[in-house]
Amino acid sequence: TTTAPMSLTAEQHDDFEVQKVELEEEDDKFVTDLVEKAFTDEELESQGAAARCTHIRKKLNENLDGQWHVVTGKKFASSVANEPTFFYCVKYKGNGVLIFKCGV
């Protein structure tokens, strides 16, 4: 397995600003598409940030192994030690999005 130093998928979208992404290429595409859909879905938007995080986390847990954690917000800081290929941190239209896998 190889670790992508940056998100090749998110870099292709103008709305994404990559902070740090370490995911397998297939997972990177899945997560990037999931984040974009979660932020453009009108129903999730009306329910607020907690609903958006829950939606993303549930989809990750259903489709990728392990337990995933999701944080979104306009302003937050983080420091996370992570295993390679289990970390995703971007800004989408000014919203910070932090996703990481915890455990196996």
Side-chain angles (χ1 to χ4, degrees), residues 16-58:
F16 284 88
E17 179 186 328
V18 175
Q19 307 295 308
K20 178 181 177 184
V21 173
E22 294 181 2
L23 293 174
E24 296 291 335
E25 187 175 343
E26 184 177 303
D27 295 343
D28 178 16
K29 178 171 178 16
F30 176 78
V31 174
T32 298
D33 290 346
L34 182 59
V35 167
E36 186 171 35
K37 287 176 187 170
F39 276 90
T40 57
D41 183 284
E42 289 180 17
E43 185 176 336
L44 285 175
E45 183 66 29
S46 69
Q47 294 175 11
R52 183 181 305 115
C53 286
T54 299
H55 173 78
I56 293 170
R57 182 183 51 78
K58 283 182 179 179

Side-chain angles (χ1 to χ4, degrees), residues 4 7 12 40 49 54 87-89 91 97:
S7 170
Q12 296 170 355
T40 57
T54 299
F87 188 84
Y88 186 89
C89 187
K91 285 196 173 191
V97 180

